[in-house]
Structure formats: structure tokens, C-alpha cells
């Protein structure tokens, strides 16, 4: 399950640095039209030295660029009616697509919309509260089943169902989801697996033997693919040699970005979340 920065190597970095797309996440969600990543890379390496080469044209020729999910507000509806009508507009299923960054799950799910074309872990709990209020119990259970599937196959619930989120998680709300839908007993095994994940890969033992948890993603001290250029720009201003680890861990915490993680609350480059043990 390689993220796009590892699949497309120097081509990925060149696309992000050239700012073909205003949002670094856009190319991360793009899909190859026909060729394999290896074939695209080879063609890029052959073509880039030519004076006629145009990177933007190359990308549009070889990739299907994702669109945003735009929602139309109907002012004649009440707020409650509007919320109820959003569920079918935001419901997605995953079809098997070669070389996509999407992580496949077996059941339908709700996405936030806009530039967010995938679900996010702890956000989904609050989505479930709305689904229950709308009596969309089957859909809520489908999303819970998807999370249980991810725990069994990956070993934890990723921050979102994209390959570039696979190494990180988010605040462990799976237990709250099972309680909400009365499914705690059914998913006891998955709850234990997730607990083990947090108590081994996200635990710190203090001098007195106390074990506490922190947000920490051991995916290499590198920019997040979905925020590549933004992270590079932040790193240039930072004195923290592990700035990329801290930025990625902040994505895992779900509070990205909160001043609580920064030495200087007005300066993101002072982020130090991996040194903190949050309540």
C-alpha cells in the first residue's frame, strides 16, 4: 500500500513543487488513465529533457484529476431537512481502481465533501451521530463494519481511507462507535486489536513505569504527500529537525492544527506534538 510520493518518486515531487494544482492533495487522489506508474515514470524521464516538454500537459494526459464535491444550498429547506438530504449526496462506495490511493472497504460510507473524497476516522463518529438522528442505522452500521474490516486487515484504523493516511490513525473512537450502535460485544476482538496498537506503537513508559500515550507516526521524517508543498514551506522556517514527524503526528491527533501543539501558538513551525503526552 504505497503512497503516491513513493510510487511516482521524483515526478511526484516535481508536480507538487511546480504548483500545477493549488491543492497538494489533488494529485494524491489522481488516477492513472492507462499506463502503470512504472511506465509513466519511464516516459517522464525520457520526455522531461526535451525543450518541448510541458509538465502540466503531461500530467493531464496521463492522469484523471479528481473533482471536488460541491453541495448546493437550498434556502427554502429548514436546516434539519437540508442535513437529512445530504446523506445520499455524500454516500460513496469504493470500486477497485488500479493505482488509486483509495483504500478499499466492503461497504458504503459517508465522505465530508469538498476536497475530502474519503472518510476520516474520528470525524465518522460525529457523522454517525447524525445518521442515527436521521434513522440511517444501516448506513451507520456499514461504516462501523468498514472500520472493523480495516482493523482486521491493517491492524488499526487509518486516519482516512487513503494510502497516504495508512500509517497514521486518529483519536480511538471505535469503542464509542460500537457503544453508539450497541455492537460492543460483536466487535470485542477488533477493540482488543486497536487497544494493542495504541499501547505498543503509541505508548511511552515514564521513569516510574507509568505508560501513557502520544500521537506519533513512524513513516519517515518527510513531508505529508497531501500537504507536500505546505510542509516544505513550514520546514524552511523551523529549527526542529523532526518537523515533518510533528506535522504528520498533528494529522493523527485530529486537531490539525491546534495551537496547543506549538511552542509559539501563532507559529506552526514551532509544532512539537511528539514531545507531548495529551490527556
Amino acid at each position: 500500500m504505497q503512497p503516491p510520493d513513493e510510487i511516482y518518486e521524483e515526478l511526484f515531487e516535481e508536480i507538487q513543487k511546480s504548483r500545477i494544482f493549488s491543492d497538494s492533495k489533488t494529485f494524491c487522489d489522481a488516477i492513472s488513465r492507462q499506463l502503470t506508474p512504472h511506465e509513466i515514470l519511464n516516459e517522464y524521464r525520457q520526455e522531461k529533457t526535451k525543450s518541448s516538454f510541458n509538465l502540466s500537459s503531461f500530467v493531464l494526459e496521463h492522469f484523471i484529476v479528481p473533482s471536488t464535491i460541491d453541495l448546493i444550498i437550498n434556502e427554502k429547506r429548514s436546516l434539519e431537512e437540508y442535513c437529512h438530504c445530504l446523506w445520499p449526496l455524500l454516500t460513496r462506495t469504493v470500486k477497485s481502481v488500479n493505482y488509486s490511493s483509495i483504500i478499499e472497504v466492503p461497504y458504503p460510507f459517508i465522505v465530508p465533501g469538498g476536497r475530502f473524497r474519503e472518510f476520516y476516522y474520528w470525524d465518522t463518529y460525529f457523522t454517525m451521530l447524525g445518521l442515527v438522528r436521521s434513522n440511517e442505522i444501516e448506513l451507520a452500521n456499514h461504516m462501523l463494519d468498514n472500520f472493523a474490516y480495516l482493523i482486521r486487515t491493517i491492524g488499526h484504523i487509518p486516519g482516512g481511507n487513503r494510502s497516504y493516511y495508512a500509517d497514521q490513525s486518529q483519536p480511538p473512537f471505535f469503542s464509542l462507535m460500537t457503544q453508539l450502535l450497541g455492537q460492543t460485544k460483536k466487535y470485542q476482538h477488533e477493540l482488543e486489536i486497536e487497544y494493542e496498537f495504541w499501547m505498543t506503537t503509541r505508548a511511552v513508559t515514564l521513569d516510574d513505569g507509568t505508560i501513557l500515550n502520544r500521537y506519533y507516526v513512524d513513516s519517515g521524517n518527510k513531508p505529508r504527500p497531501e500537504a507536500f508543498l505546505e510542509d516544505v514551506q513550514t520546514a524552511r522556517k523551523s529549527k526542529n529537525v523532526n518537523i515533518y514527524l510533528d506535522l504528520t503526528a498533528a494529522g493523527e491527533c485530529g486537531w490539525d492544527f491546534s495551537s496547543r501543539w506549538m511552542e509559539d501558538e501563532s507559529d506552526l513551525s514551532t509544532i512539537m506534538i511528539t514531545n507531548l503526552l495529551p490527556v
Side-chain angles (χ1 to χ4, degrees):
M1 192 184 299
Q2 284 185 292
D5 59 323
E6 295 179 8
I7 292 175
Y8 292 106
E9 301 180 16
E10 76 272 17
L11 172 59
F12 176 88
E13 185 169 338
E14 189 61 32
I15 290 170
Q16 298 291 34
K17 286 184 175 179
S18 64
R19 231 9 170 183
I20 292 175
F21 305 108
S22 59
D23 184 353
S24 293
K25 188 176 183 296
T26 301
F27 181 68
C28 293
D29 298 350
I31 302 169
S32 169
R33 292 187 183 275
Q34 283 186 314
L35 301 181
T36 67
H38 180 71
E39 291 169 332
I40 292 174
L41 265 175
N42 281 341
E43 187 170 328
Y44 167 69
R45 288 163 181 165
Q46 293 170 7
E47 295 292 323
K48 69 176 183 178
T49 57
K50 298 178 180 179
S51 59
S52 59
F53 178 73
N54 182 283
L55 182 60
S56 180
S57 299
F58 181 87
V59 171
L60 295 178
E61 178 184 349
H62 291 290
F63 294 94
I64 300 172
V65 179
S67 58
T68 57
I69 304 170
D70 297 321
L71 302 175
I72 299 174
I73 297 177
N74 187 333
E75 296 180 357
K76 295 181 180 179
R77 291 176 177 158
S78 69
L79 180 59
E80 185 172 0
E81 289 172 335
Y82 177 68
C83 290
H84 288 317
C85 82
L86 286 180
W87 302 128
L89 299 177
L90 296 173
T91 300
R92 297 291 183 273
T93 55
V94 174
K95 298 178 182 178
S96 181
V97 179
N98 288 333
Y99 316 118
S100 168
S101 62
I102 200 77
I103 297 175
E104 295 182 25
V105 290
Y107 301 105
F109 53 88
I110 297 291
V111 299
R115 63 192 284 268
F116 301 114
R117 297 167 282 263
E118 55 286 313
F119 61 69
Y120 290 82
Y121 178 7
W122 84 316
D123 306 48
T124 296
Y125 172 72
F126 303 100
T127 301
M128 285 181 172
L129 292 177
L131 289 169
V132 170
R133 179 70 178 268
S134 295
N135 202 32
E136 295 281 355
I137 307 302
E138 182 180 29
L139 183 51
N141 274 302
H142 280 329
M143 297 172 75
L144 187 61
D145 290 337
N146 285 335
F147 283 154
Y149 168 81
L150 290 170
I151 290 174
R152 291 192 302 269
T153 55
I154 297 178
H156 65 277
I157 299 174
N161 63 320
R162 291 279 181 185
S163 60
Y164 49 83
Y165 294 137
D167 290 333
Q168 59 182 273
S169 189
Q170 276 190 345
F173 271 41
F174 184 65
S175 61
L176 295 179
M177 297 174 186
T178 64
Q179 291 173 15
L180 176 66
L181 297 171
Q183 301 282 17
T184 301
K185 187 174 181 180
K186 177 181 177 181
Y187 291 116
Q188 181 175 340
H189 177 60
E190 288 82 2
L191 286 162
E192 291 174 352
I193 293 174
E194 182 179 51
Y195 179 77
E196 184 68 14
F197 168 80
W198 281 91
M199 297 309 294
T200 54
T201 67
R202 302 297 192 268
V204 175
T205 303
L206 304 185
D207 291 340
D208 64 358
T210 301
I211 299 176
L212 296 176
N213 299 93
R214 66 171 174 167
Y215 299 110
Y216 185 84
V217 184
D218 189 14
S219 58
N221 191 22
K222 62 180 184 177
R224 295 169 297 155
E226 74 281 7
F228 183 90
L229 194 58
E230 293 82 358
D231 284 1
V232 169
Q233 292 169 344
T234 300
R236 286 173 182 160
K237 299 187 295 181
S238 179
K239 298 177 182 178
N240 177 5
V241 295
N242 294 316
I243 183 67
Y244 294 131
L245 286 176
D246 282 298
L247 289 168
T248 304
E252 178 168 84
C253 83
W255 294 75
D256 46 333
F257 291 93
S258 170
S259 59
R260 69 179 63 190
W261 311 127
M262 305 170 197
E263 287 188 278
D264 178 348
E265 63 181 23
S266 64
D267 186 355
L268 179 59
S269 71
T270 66
I271 191 166
M272 47 177 252
I273 183 172
T274 57
N275 292 328
L276 301 175
L277 299 173
V279 176

